[in-house]
Structure formats: C-alpha cells, structure tokens
Amino acid sequence: MTFANFILVIFLLLSLLVFAVLVMLMRQIKKDGRLPPDKMSTLAGILFIPSIIIFALIFKGISSWRADIQQENNQIKLESFVTSVYEPLTKSRHSLLNKLSSMNGLIRNVENMEIEHPNHADVIRHVKDQWGVAYKNLHQAYLESDKEVRRAWIAHNTMDSQDVLVKFSKQAVQIESQLKKAEQNYQAHIYSVQDVMVKSLDQSRKLLDANRNPPKSKKQMALNEALRESIKPFNNFAISELMNFLATLDERLKNEVETLQQLIRLSAQQEAILKDHLYKNRDLEKPLTKIISDWKALEDSSNDSLEQILFALEAEYVAVKLGLSIESPAIKAMHKSLYNNIPAIVGKGLKQRIVIDQSYRINRTVD
C-alpha cells in the first residue's frame, strides 16, 4: 500500500468514526428527550449536512493529492525509462525545461514594463515579442519530443518490451539531436534581440556624452536632437525606481542627481519669488526680468539634463531587466558615461547658480 492510499484509508476510517459518533449522539439526545421531536430534524441537518460537505471537500482534496502523487510517480518511472535507454536525452529534456521555466519567469517579470517605461516601450515590446516566439518554438519542440517519449514508454509497458527498447534506442538519439538543435535555435534567437538593447544603450549614451563632448558629425547631432525631443516626461514611479537602481550602481551618483533635482526646485522657487517682486515693483522691470530669465534658463537646462540622465539610466535599467549581462561592453560603456557626465552636468549647473547669485551690479551714480 502506498503512502497516499494509506492516508485515504485513515481518512475514511475517521469519517466513519465521526459519523458513528454523530448517530450515537442523536440517539442519546432523542432517548433523553432533551429536544421536542420537531426540532430533531433541524438538529440532524445542522450536524450532518455541514459534516458531509466538509468530508466531501476533504475527500476531493485527498483524491486530487493522490492523483498528483500518482502522476509524479509515473513521471519518475518515465524518466528512469528514458535514462536507461539513452541518458543524454534525459539531460537535454531537463535543460530544455529549465530554459522554458527561466524564459517564462522573465516574460512575467517584465509584463508591465511597457507602461512603466514608455520612453523605451519600443525596445521592451520588441524583446517581449521575440521572447514569445522563441518560447513558443522551444515549447513546441519539447511537446513533440515528449509525445514520442510517452508513446514509447506506454508501448514498453503494454507491448513487447525488448522490441520497443531496440526501436526506441535509435529514436532516442534522433530526439536528443532535435532537442539540441531546438536549443541552439532558441539561443540564437535570444542573442539576436540583444542587438536592439545594445543599440538603445548606445543611442542614449551618445546623447548623454554630448553634454561634455558635442559631436562633430552633423548626422550625430541630428540624431541626438531627434532623440532629445522624443523623450517623454518621467513619472514619479519611474524616477523613484531609477534612483533606487542608480543607488545600486553608485550612491554618490544618486546624491549628485538629487542635487540636480534640488537645483531645479530652487530655480523654480526663485522665479516665483522674483515674479512676485516684479508685480509689486514695476519700475524695476528690466533688472528683475533679466534675473527671472536667468533662473528660468537654469531651470530649463537642468531639467533637460535630468531627462537625459534618466533616459540613459532607464536604457541600462531596462536592458539589465531584459537579461543583458552586466558584463556586456554596452553596459560598461554606459557606466563610464554616467560616472563621467553626471558630476560634470551637476557641477556646471551649480556654477551657473553662483553666477546668477552674484550677478548683482551697482549702478553708476549721476553727479
């Protein structure tokens, strides 16, 4: 008797025991006359009907559990059969299943990335679509091979086992070869989508690098301008996520970006304060308008720089989440660009703030 059958027998015996106890309890209540006859049927329903429902549900659960155990035992026997015939086929089947499981996890992990990161939605969508194709092809290859394996195993158990072994030993080699080919096609497909991620990284990196080293090529200048204009505003969720990601790369860089964010807020505050002064001091329109314009220019340039930093950072974040190795040359190049450009951009903004703060000039007096 298997363990699952033993548990089922125990459950049935306990059910009978509980049922017997309930019957005896009802008879004792009736004998003692504790309840009027018209209430006995109500009590019987209260005691027996819920009990029967509970026992039925438990029985169904145990039956399902036994079926799962039986299926697991059959799978173990099937794998032992395949291993005894041709062990490399077992290894290829396991390898393929692991890849399917890994890919399925990746697809679920990036399910909402298109909505969360609209600036790189095209890249995310392309990669997900290609993953779907690769997964479907690999899964189909596994299903076809598994069907043949199960057919051979059933035949081995129900027909001339020696004849089946001889025939399946040849077929197993062919199936294993087909699985290897399917895996190779899968890997080639997966590697091909990495080119899209690398291109995205390179484009955003060149845009960021232009802050320190403006490109000489007119073509690159045009590409940078088009990319800059295509950047959509980042929502608070995306900014928070990217800042946390930046902290894992370098906490100092995160602090630099926070300084840039503070500079943007300060510029906006100074503009608001000066506009209020201008409203009350119309005779100072010329100097106040100039200083307001300077703060506005600092706010706009800082905002533009922040967007470019976030855009480049998001390109790396998305690529890493989509499975690109952190050892990839494109990832390393992006790291270098972030380390070189973020402090330079923030430093430039802080210097501009000092210039504005110290731009007050004494007017020449008239004799």
Side-chain angles (χ1 to χ4, degrees):
M1 178 183 292
T2 65
F3 179 71
N5 289 334
F6 174 74
I7 293 295
L8 181 60
V9 170
I10 294 296
F11 169 74
L12 292 175
L13 291 175
L14 287 175
S15 300
L16 290 173
L17 179 61
V18 171
F19 184 77
V21 169
L22 288 175
V23 170
M24 292 175 64
L25 178 62
M26 289 291 297
R27 292 182 64 182
Q28 187 64 39
I29 293 174
K30 184 177 181 180
K31 180 179 179 182
D32 295 343
R34 298 177 186 176
L35 287 175
D38 59 326
K39 299 292 185 181
M40 289 299 296
S41 58
T42 303
L43 178 61
I46 293 174
L47 290 177
F48 286 104
I49 294 176
S51 300
I52 292 173
I53 293 174
I54 292 172
F55 290 144
L57 291 174
I58 295 175
F59 181 81
K60 182 180 179 182
I62 291 178
S63 299
S64 177
W65 174 58
R66 289 177 67 243
D68 290 342
I69 291 178
Q70 184 62 43
Q71 184 177 357
E72 185 177 340
N73 289 336
N74 289 339
Q75 188 63 31
I76 292 172
K77 292 176 182 178
L78 185 147
E79 293 298 332
S80 298
F81 164 70
V82 175
T83 301
S84 66
V85 175
Y86 190 59
E87 187 173 359
L89 177 54
T90 300
K91 293 180 179 179
S92 289
R93 280 163 57 84
H94 288 169
S95 174
L96 194 148
L97 281 174
N98 288 336
K99 283 183 171 59
L100 286 172
S101 176
S102 176
M103 177 55 69
N104 192 38
L106 276 173
I107 292 174
R108 289 199 308 271
N109 193 37
V110 300
E111 195 63 38
N112 298 317
M113 281 185 67
E114 288 179 57
I115 300 172
E116 295 168 356
H117 303 283
N119 279 303
H120 293 87
D122 290 345
V123 175
I124 297 167
R125 190 179 305 112
H126 174 79
V127 172
K128 282 173 61 178
D129 289 346
Q130 294 303 308
W131 278 358
V133 173
Y135 180 89
K136 182 179 179 181
N137 292 341
L138 194 64
H139 189 243
Q140 186 61 35
Y142 175 79
L143 290 179
E144 291 174 359
S145 66
D146 187 62
K147 182 171 66 175
E148 291 302 313
V149 168
R150 285 184 287 109
R151 188 167 74 91
W153 180 60
I154 293 172
H156 180 262
N157 292 334
T158 59
M159 302 170 69
D160 187 333
S161 60
Q162 289 303 315
D163 178 68
V164 173
L165 283 175
V166 171
K167 294 176 180 176
F168 182 65
S169 61
K170 297 177 182 178
Q171 186 185 19
V173 177
Q174 296 175 351
I175 294 175
E176 198 269 339
S177 177
Q178 291 169 355
L179 290 183
K180 285 289 186 185
K181 184 178 179 180
E183 278 199 66
Q184 290 170 359
N185 292 338
Y186 166 82
Q187 290 293 354
H189 202 84
I190 294 302
Y191 289 143
S192 69
V193 302
Q194 293 183 356
D195 294 339
V196 177
M197 291 184 272
V198 169
K199 183 180 179 181
S200 173
L201 280 164
D202 288 344
Q203 288 177 337
S204 55
R205 175 177 55 79
K206 289 176 181 178
L207 176 60
L208 189 60
D209 286 342
N211 286 277
R212 294 174 62 247
N213 300 306
K216 297 178 181 179
S217 165
K218 291 184 178 181
K219 181 180 179 181
Q220 188 60 51
M221 290 174 64
L223 289 173
N224 284 353
E225 184 61 27
L227 189 59
R228 184 184 294 110
E229 291 179 355
S230 71
I231 298 177
K232 301 177 181 67
F234 289 84
N235 59 49
N236 291 333
F237 172 81
I239 293 174
S240 177
E241 200 170 13
L242 293 174
M243 291 296 285
N244 290 335
F245 176 66
L246 183 58
T248 65
L249 301 179
D250 192 317
E251 187 71 31
R252 292 171 299 177
L253 289 182
K254 180 189 176 186
N255 294 336
E256 292 277 8
V257 175
E258 288 175 343
T259 299
L260 185 61
Q261 292 172 319
Q262 291 169 3
L263 188 58
I264 293 170
R265 288 193 291 269
L266 173 66
S267 300
Q269 289 169 2
Q270 292 294 85
E271 288 175 56
I273 292 171
L274 286 164
K275 285 179 180 179
D276 183 60
H277 283 303
L278 177 59
Y279 176 76
K280 299 173 183 177
N281 301 272
R282 286 297 178 181
D283 58 331
L284 297 177
E285 181 176 356
K286 185 175 181 180
L288 290 180
T289 301
K290 172 64 170 63
I291 197 74
I292 290 172
S293 176
D294 289 343
W295 281 114
K296 178 61 175 173
L298 177 56
E299 181 189 9
D300 289 345
S301 63
S302 298
N303 258 321
D304 186 54
S305 297
L306 178 61
E307 282 191 342
Q308 291 176 44
I309 291 170
L310 293 173
F311 187 75
L313 188 61
E314 187 178 65
E316 178 175 343
Y317 173 82
V318 166
V320 170
K321 202 162 184 180
L322 291 177
L324 191 64
S325 171
I326 58 175
E327 298 300 320
S328 164
I331 292 287
K332 290 184 176 181
M334 178 59 79
H335 284 170
K336 184 178 179 181
S337 182
L338 292 171
Y339 293 140
N340 290 336
N341 285 291
I342 291 178
I345 289 171
V346 176
K348 182 180 177 181
L350 292 175
K351 287 179 181 178
Q352 190 175 346
R353 173 194 170 181
I354 292 173
V355 170
I356 298 172
D357 271 339
Q358 298 179 358
S359 63
Y360 176 76
R361 296 289 182 269
I362 299 175
N363 291 329
R364 293 175 61 184
T365 58
V366 180
D367 294 330

